Amino acid sequence: MVIHVITLFPSMFKGFIDSSIISRAIDKDAVDIRLVDLRSFGMGPHRIVDDTPFGGGGGMVMRVEPIHNALKGIEGSAGHVILTTPRGKIFKQDDAFRLSKEDTITIICGHYEGVDERVSELFVDEELSIGDYVLTGGEIPAMAIIDAVVRIIPGVLGKNTIITGDSHYTGLLEHPQYTRPREYMGKAVPSVLLSGNHKEIQKWRRMMSLKATMDRRPDMLEKTSLTEEDILILKEDG
Ligand code: ADE
């Protein structure tokens, strides 16, 4: 998979690209992340990429031409083009699975007060937001999206990582996890996990997932299909 990132701050991606799982995915040729420095497509000797908004109001707006030129400079196809913006559709695990099947994606990192609307009208397939808050730019959202997509490309995570158990994969939050020591500051690991009884362990994990989801994200329960046993567990829990 090739991921192009059009950004005013390519240096922000250095630590991310060098980090363990992403750099391993790059080494394994599972993904190729190509940074495009938007500044180098800026206009005039000062490489200007923004301007004041028509109609007045504060702040600056990213101009369309540098972004268009950056897209034209991409070797081969830009593939599926995404703009990161707080007004975009909220990025979910299902989007990560969908995007992980693309051959090529290009993420344009938005900035300032916004991006000239013609960028979306002419070049963008999808606008994505990572949550209902406003960040200073689209780089952190781009990294969040890339991270969620790359970790699920087959072969990227070790064989022992079971993504089907992730929170959000099944429509439920993940059950609690424990490792050594068996007791810490008076808190013991639940005995069922030490029992070796896999059927009971599965049952306990399902119950804890259901409870965590009901307590923290009841909105998720409405969208997931529950078994009769799940409904009994939730009823018992009140
Ligand atoms: N740019 C600024 N805030 C953002 C957000 N929450 N999601 C995506 N892009 C953004």
Side-chain angles (χ1 to χ4, degrees):
M1 177 178 203
V2 180
I3 304 178
H4 303 277
V5 184
I6 298 178
T7 170
L8 282 170
F9 298 97
S11 64
M12 280 181 75
F13 289 81
K14 186 172 176 350
F16 172 66
I17 285 173
D18 291 345
S19 77
S20 67
I21 301 229
I22 301 297
S23 76
R24 203 180 340 137
I26 294 169
D27 290 346
K28 284 183 179 172
D29 284 333
V31 67
D32 185 1
I33 300 176
R34 300 190 193 158
L35 299 173
V36 179
D37 184 358
L38 183 59
R39 182 67 60 189
S40 64
F41 294 93
M43 301 167 69
H46 298 294
R47 301 264 169 242
I48 294 201
V49 295
D50 58 345
D51 209 334
T52 52
F54 280 124
M60 301 296 273
V61 174
M62 283 171 89
R63 291 184 63 128
V64 59
E65 308 94 311
I67 294 175
H68 187 194
N69 288 332
L71 284 166
K72 281 196 282 195
I74 285 174
E75 220 180 279
S77 159
H80 185 75
V81 179
I82 295 164
L83 174 69
T84 54
T85 161
R87 76 171 195 190
K89 171 178 159 300
I90 302 278
F91 176 72
K92 298 265 175 73
Q93 188 64 34
D94 283 348
D95 299 303
F97 280 108
R98 176 173 55 83
L99 294 175
S100 74
K101 295 185 184 104
E102 296 279 348
D103 291 333
T104 309
I105 63 177
T106 294
I107 306 181
I108 303 168
C109 300
H111 259 274
Y112 310 118
E113 263 24 77
V115 179
D116 189 299
E117 189 65 20
R118 290 162 293 187
V119 170
S120 288
E121 288 172 355
L122 293 170
F123 312 121
V124 170
D125 295 306
E126 166 172 49
E127 295 184 350
L128 289 175
S129 163
I130 59 162
D132 290 340
Y133 40 80
V134 179
L135 302 169
T136 54
E139 280 71 16
I140 290 172
M143 285 186 251
I145 293 166
I146 295 169
D147 195 279
V149 168
V150 169
R151 72 184 283 281
I152 55 178
I153 295 176
V156 167
L157 291 180
K159 277 199 208 78
N160 292 331
T161 313
I162 310 162
I163 56 171
T164 52
D166 284 346
S167 283
H168 303 289
Y169 185 89
T170 54
L172 296 178
L173 298 179
E174 198 178 2
H175 54 78
Q177 298 276 17
Y178 294 86
T179 185
R180 280 182 272 270
R182 286 178 176 220
E183 196 185 315
Y184 193 68
M185 292 178 75
K187 296 256 175 221
V189 173
S191 54
V192 60
L193 297 179
L194 310 171
S195 68
N197 183 335
H198 291 291
K199 210 165 158 231
E200 283 303 308
I201 292 172
Q202 281 318 105
K203 220 170 120 189
W204 180 87
R205 286 182 165 164
R206 182 79 186 171
M207 180 182 76
M208 296 307 278
S209 275
L210 285 163
K211 282 185 178 173
T213 313
M214 185 154 82
D215 288 351
R216 298 166 190 206
R217 292 290 307 275
D219 58 300
M220 285 171 65
L221 279 183
E222 281 156 29
K223 290 178 215 137
T224 198
S225 46
L226 299 175
T227 64
E228 275 173 28
E229 202 181 345
D230 291 339
I231 293 163
L232 274 178
I233 291 171
L234 288 170
K235 276 196 183 137
E236 269 170 36
D237 199 48

